[in-house]
Amino acid sequence: MGKIKSLLVQVKSLIFGHKKISLVAIVILIVLGYFLFPKSQKPILTQNASIENLVKTVSVTGKVDSDNSVNLTFQTGGTLDYLGVKVGDTVKKGQLIASLNKDNLWAAFRQAQADFTAAKAASEQYYSGNTNATESYDQKVKRTALDAAQNKAYDNMVIAQKAVSNFNLYSPIDGILTRADINTVGANVTALTVFTVTDPSSLAFKLEVDQADVGKVTLGQKVKIVLDSFPDKTLIESVDKIDFITHATTSGGNAYYVKSFLPVDSKFRVGMAGNADIIVATKENVLTIPASAVLDDNTVYKKQNGKYVKTKVKIGLQNDTLSEVISGLSEGDTVAVDPSSVPQNSIVKN
């Protein structure tokens, strides 16, 4: 190496001492220096195999939802005659929520009765005047139209009768009124007007688990939940429900809803978002190394006498950061955390 340095000094003196030397010589000097004086090698990050507890989780996002919520609607339209609660009020099972104007409903029912009576009379009149076994095409058309009119009138009468019998809306559960499309007495109501009662004691964290991970999830597994509204509080709950039917996600994949019931707490609200870790497997006091240290062929680079020996290992439970080593290493053995950082001239065969 001393001779090479001396040679480079001479080349440098020749180049800068003679102005006529071409630029090519300068380039040659730079290239020689690059190859003859290698840059300092980056240190290889290593870690010792150690005994630890290893936990494997499925991490997902979710929202607080109610497992017991009902939407109440009237069977027909009308005028709102009574409204007993407003959004946010607590209601009891069987409590009257709202009522429609009964006078209008009775009038509609009586009119429906009259229409059915007229349609039935017209049909009976046709049949009494046409007793022959055969009928013309025009007679068949008329009979069919009369039958259809009678059936339609009967259906309308039944609907009107149900409306009369169901002009009151009662809550079937204890809960809180969380939705009311109408909040003014005298307003017009349709069959699409909704009143929602939600049971606050049935709140659950609803997780969306990808179909690739749902096979790892079973009832009773622990779930660590952190709601965005309470980032400093970790809830330790359990898997209570797993959907039987898949659904499409917003990204076009398939997933299953998994529910974990929350403790009754007045601070929790439907729609609160958060993150959760479902603990799907746990092993205590096992030999572990960084997961990044394991190559695809289940080998690692073990440091030995200043070199790195490519060593076969048997891997057990894994998570995102750690891998369990069943065989191939011992506690205290040193491995390269990033195998790609190990130079080829530092690797020896086992």
Side-chain angles (χ1 to χ4, degrees):
M1 183 63 70
K3 292 182 178 180
I4 295 175
K5 287 184 178 180
S6 176
L7 177 62
L8 287 173
V9 171
Q10 293 179 25
V11 172
K12 178 180 177 182
S13 174
L14 178 63
I15 291 173
F16 292 99
H18 298 78
K19 295 182 180 180
K20 292 185 180 180
I21 299 297
S22 69
L23 184 61
V24 175
I26 297 177
V27 174
I28 292 173
L29 178 62
I30 295 172
V31 173
L32 283 172
Y34 180 84
F35 285 102
L36 295 177
F37 300 99
K39 296 180 290 183
S40 60
Q41 182 180 321
K42 288 181 61 177
I44 301 169
L45 184 63
T46 61
Q47 188 167 322
N48 293 342
S50 60
I51 302 297
E52 295 188 38
N53 296 336
L54 198 155
V55 178
K56 184 176 180 63
T57 62
V58 173
S59 299
V60 291
T61 59
K63 289 184 177 181
V64 176
D65 194 16
S66 173
D67 200 53
N68 188 18
S69 184
V70 292
N71 292 325
L72 307 175
T73 59
F74 291 105
Q75 294 189 4
T76 187
T79 303
L80 194 66
D81 198 43
Y82 170 81
L83 183 61
V85 291
K86 63 182 181 297
V87 171
D89 285 351
T90 299
V91 298
K92 296 294 184 180
K93 181 178 180 179
Q95 181 176 337
L96 180 62
I97 302 298
S99 296
L100 294 181
N101 186 290
K102 295 180 284 295
D103 295 337
N104 293 338
L105 294 176
W106 275 111
F109 173 61
R110 289 192 294 269
Q111 182 62 55
Q113 277 185 314
D115 292 342
F116 172 68
T117 299
K120 182 180 180 182
S123 181
E124 289 175 346
Q125 182 181 20
Y126 172 83
Y127 280 104
S128 64
N130 294 275
T131 57
N132 295 332
T134 60
E135 62 181 353
S136 66
Y137 176 78
D138 291 341
Q139 289 175 321
K140 183 177 181 180
V141 171
K142 184 177 181 180
R143 173 177 58 78
T144 302
L146 290 170
D147 289 345
Q150 181 181 347
N151 291 336
K152 183 178 180 180
Y154 177 80
D155 291 341
N156 289 338
M157 183 183 68
V158 171
I159 293 173
Q161 186 177 27
K162 286 183 178 180
V164 168
S165 303
N166 296 279
F167 58 84
N168 291 329
L169 282 185
Y170 297 95
S171 175
I173 62 172
D174 292 338
I176 297 173
L177 188 71
T178 54
R179 173 180 173 180
D181 291 348
I182 298 293
N183 54 21
T184 305
V185 172
N188 291 326
V189 173
T190 71
L192 299 178
T193 302
V194 177
F195 296 86
T196 302
V197 179
T198 300
D199 179 5
S201 67
S202 70
L203 295 186
F205 193 65
K206 189 176 181 181
L207 307 91
E208 193 172 57
V209 180
D210 189 88
Q211 64 174 352
D213 293 321
V214 75
K216 308 168 189 173
V217 180
T218 59
L219 294 175
Q221 288 174 335
K222 287 185 178 180
V223 183
K224 292 183 178 181
I225 303 168
V226 177
L227 299 175
D228 295 344
S229 301
F230 309 103
D232 297 328
K233 184 177 182 180
T234 300
L235 301 170
I236 309 297
E237 305 302 331
S238 60
V239 174
D240 296 304
K241 282 188 175 182
I242 304 172
D243 270 3
F244 186 72
I245 300 175
T246 185
H247 68 272
T249 65
T250 55
S251 61
N254 291 311
Y256 292 82
Y257 285 124
V258 173
K259 287 185 178 181
S260 177
F261 288 120
L262 299 176
V264 177
D265 191 324
S266 61
K267 294 181 292 186
F268 296 147
R269 297 286 187 273
V270 172
M272 285 183 172
N275 300 288
D277 289 328
I278 305 172
I279 300 175
V280 297
T282 302
K283 282 192 174 182
E284 296 183 351
N285 300 319
V286 294
L287 185 65
T288 66
I289 58 173
S292 61
V294 184
L295 292 164
D296 291 338
D297 59 352
N298 281 352
T299 58
V300 298
Y301 287 139
K302 181 174 72 172
K303 190 174 183 181
Q304 188 173 317
N305 300 323
K307 294 289 186 177
Y308 288 89
V309 181
K310 193 170 186 180
T311 306
K312 192 75 174 180
V313 291
K314 184 177 181 181
I315 299 299
L317 185 64
Q318 292 179 289
N319 61 22
D320 293 337
T321 58
L322 293 176
S323 294
E324 175 196 7
V325 180
I326 297 175
S327 63
L329 293 175
S330 300
E331 184 180 3
D333 284 345
T334 302
V335 297
V337 174
D338 178 11
S340 65
S341 67
V342 179
Q344 290 299 312
N345 60 6
S346 296
I347 302 173
V348 295
K349 293 183 179 180
N350 193 352

